């Protein structure tokens, strides 16, 4: 395939992310104000962090006036899964990117951006990644501003229905390749079973979702790699 | 909550978010050659995403019934290889429809 991914392709591919982010970020803004944060703080958090789970957890920590070291460690644990995603993404982006381009891609490597980027069949480039990230960033910050300043006017039924959109998008990313690949289907089912087991097993369900994702995601892919090693010839 | 505390806390949150995203991209400069790690990296996105979807998706709307309805529609349309936007919007509409009916 000779077609190159453009900036516009990135924007278009990120539209479902943008939609999902607006709704989740509205919820973040509303909750932040309820927790007593001044109005300037929630948008600043969204602009500097661009992360869902981490930011929601941060609200609890801020409310409790947790120490800086406590905040740093807690958020790092929640976000440790990004380490896996960035290792994976490092293999997909061109190796000759400039340092500031790498900084931008790293900043925008959220769960959803990672999911869309890895689902692409064409090779990734900086233009495409920046379109993807910009559109996602726009949704996240816009939603936060709406939630912070006008959260009460968004009907609850609408915001709860939007809660499913990012998960639906994840499904649309992982299912089509699974239809054509048994090892991928195996990985998905194994990881889902593990994650469900963690969720419903007493004691295990006390583990934070960040660790559950790492254990299940890493566990399933290690077992798949042992069971179904990809042959050298396959990837050229 | 004073402003000084908040600003330093927000910088701390940002650093703890950025570090795990940045370090691998900054440090891994070449393509990984090891076949086992390469295989693992191919499967990892699917493993990570699957663990994030299940079982969280059925609780994502606040009501399990509407969450399941939306999930079924999303899985069906994904199986039919519809695009991301189509799948996302149709499952939102399904959830809304069920909210209204129930």
């Amino acid at each position: 395939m000779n077609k190159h991914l453009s900036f516009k392709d990135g924007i278009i591919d990120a539209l479902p992310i943008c939609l999902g982010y607006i709704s989740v970020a509205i919820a973040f803004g509303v909750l932040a104000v309820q927790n007593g944060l001044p109005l300037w703080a929630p948008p600043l958090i969204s602009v500097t962090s661009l992360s869902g789970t981490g930011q929601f957890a941060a609200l609890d920590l801020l409310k409790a006036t947790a120490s800086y070291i406590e905040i740093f460690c807690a958020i790092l644990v929640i976000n440790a899964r990004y380490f896996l995603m960035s290792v994976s993404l490092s293999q997909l982006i061109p190796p000759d990117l400039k340092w500031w381009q790498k900084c931008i891609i790293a900043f925008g490597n959220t769960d959803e951006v990672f999911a869309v980027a890895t689902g692409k069949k064409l090779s990734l480039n900086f233009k495409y990644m920046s379109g993807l990230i910009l559109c996602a960033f726009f949704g996240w910050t816009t939603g936060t501003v709406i939630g912070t300043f006008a959260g009460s006017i968004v009907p609850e039924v609408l915001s709860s229905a939007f809660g499913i959109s990012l998960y639906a998008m994840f499904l649309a990313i992982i299912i089509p390749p699974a239809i054509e690949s048994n090892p991928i289907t195996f990985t998905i089912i194994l990881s889902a079973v593990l994650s469900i087991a963690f969720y419903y097993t007493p004691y295990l369900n006390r583990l934070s979702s960040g660790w559950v994702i790492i254990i299940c995601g890493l566990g399933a892919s290690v077992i798949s790699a042992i069971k179904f090693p990809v042959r050298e010839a396959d990837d050229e | 909550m004073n402003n000084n505390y908040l600003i330093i806390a927000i910088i701390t949150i940002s650093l703890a978010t950025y570090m795990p995203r940045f370090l691998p991209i900054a440090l891994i400069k070449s393509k990984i050659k090891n076949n086992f790690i390469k295989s693992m990296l191919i499967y990892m996105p699917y493993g990570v995403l699957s663990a994030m979807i299940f079982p969280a998706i059925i609780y994502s709307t606040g009501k399990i019934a509407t969450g399941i309805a939306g999930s079924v529609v999303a899985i069906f349309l994904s199986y039919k290889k519809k695009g991301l936007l189509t799948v996302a919007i149709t499952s939102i509409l399904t959830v809304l429809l069920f909210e209204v009916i129930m």
Side-chain angles (χ1 to χ4, degrees):
Chain A
M1 264 186 282
N2 288 321
K3 194 180 170 291
H4 289 289
L5 292 167
S6 67
F7 181 75
K8 203 177 135 198
D9 290 329
I11 300 269
I12 292 169
D13 285 352
L15 284 177
I17 305 182
C18 182
L19 209 67
Y21 273 9
I22 288 179
S23 59
V24 180
I26 287 175
F28 172 74
V30 170
L31 197 64
V33 175
Q34 281 171 3
N35 276 6
L37 256 64
L39 295 179
W40 56 265
L44 186 63
I45 298 175
S46 285
V47 168
T48 52
S49 283
L50 188 65
S51 88
T53 339
Q55 290 187 204
F56 278 98
L59 291 181
D60 288 332
L61 295 163
L62 291 176
K63 196 180 178 187
T65 335
S67 67
Y68 301 131
I69 186 82
E70 201 180 332
I71 293 174
F72 185 79
C73 294
I75 301 293
L76 195 63
V77 166
I78 292 165
N79 289 333
R81 68 179 186 285
Y82 290 132
F83 195 84
L84 296 184
M85 297 187 198
S86 277
V87 171
S88 184
L89 195 64
S90 76
Q91 298 300 299
L92 301 171
I93 56 175
D96 56 347
L97 288 179
K98 299 194 174 56
W99 66 269
W100 59 270
Q101 293 175 318
K102 285 184 180 176
C103 285
I104 291 174
I105 291 177
F107 176 77
N109 188 20
T110 65
D111 302 331
E112 294 76 15
V113 167
F114 170 74
V116 171
T118 52
K120 287 314 264 190
K121 289 280 180 292
L122 298 165
S123 58
L124 302 172
N125 57 47
F126 181 69
K127 275 186 200 151
Y128 175 78
M129 288 305 292
S130 50
L132 204 62
I133 290 165
L134 189 69
C135 186
F137 183 75
F138 174 79
W140 189 245
T141 48
T142 308
T144 308
V145 170
I146 296 173
T148 305
F149 293 95
S152 52
I153 60 170
V154 180
E156 203 195 319
V157 65
L158 205 61
S159 55
S160 67
F162 270 75
I164 201 165
S165 60
L166 293 175
Y167 295 104
M169 191 187 79
F170 287 159
L171 285 170
I173 290 165
I174 65 170
I175 291 179
I179 297 169
E180 271 130 50
S181 161
N182 285 333
I184 291 177
T185 309
F186 174 82
T187 313
I188 291 171
I189 292 175
L190 179 61
S191 181
V193 168
L194 287 172
S195 170
I196 291 168
F198 268 98
Y199 194 90
Y200 294 108
T201 310
Y203 298 105
L204 285 183
N205 59 13
R206 292 189 195 165
L207 206 60
S208 79
S209 66
W211 284 116
V212 173
I213 291 164
I214 292 172
I215 294 168
C216 300
L218 200 59
S221 48
V222 166
I223 294 170
S224 301
I226 295 168
K227 236 172 111 70
F228 308 102
V230 177
R231 273 170 288 117
E232 290 291 350
D234 287 359
D235 62 337
E236 294 308 320
Chain B
M1 231 182 281
N2 71 54
N3 286 353
N4 270 342
Y5 168 75
L6 259 183
I7 287 174
I8 299 176
I10 289 171
I11 294 169
T12 310
I13 295 164
S14 171
L15 285 177
T17 309
Y18 197 53
M19 251 179 53
R21 285 181 185 166
F22 181 69
L23 289 180
I25 288 181
L27 299 178
I28 304 174
K29 291 210 167 77
S30 56
K31 297 285 175 198
I32 291 170
K33 294 278 191 293
N34 182 292
N35 203 44
F36 172 74
I37 295 177
K38 255 165 56 180
S39 307
M40 207 186 81
L41 289 176
I42 288 172
Y43 298 127
M44 206 159 63
Y46 301 99
V48 170
L49 291 173
S50 178
M52 290 205 299
I53 300 167
F54 303 104
I57 188 170
I58 64 168
Y59 301 105
S60 66
T61 61
K63 284 197 201 107
I64 292 185
T66 61
I68 291 175
S71 310
V72 170
V73 170
I75 290 172
F76 176 75
L77 291 177
S78 304
Y79 190 77
K80 291 278 167 200
K81 300 188 178 179
K82 302 289 176 196
L84 307 188
L85 199 58
T86 315
V87 176
I89 290 177
T90 317
S91 55
I92 291 171
L93 292 177
T94 309
V95 172
L96 275 177
L97 187 72
F98 271 73
E99 295 266 5
V100 175
I101 297 171
M102 290 180 354

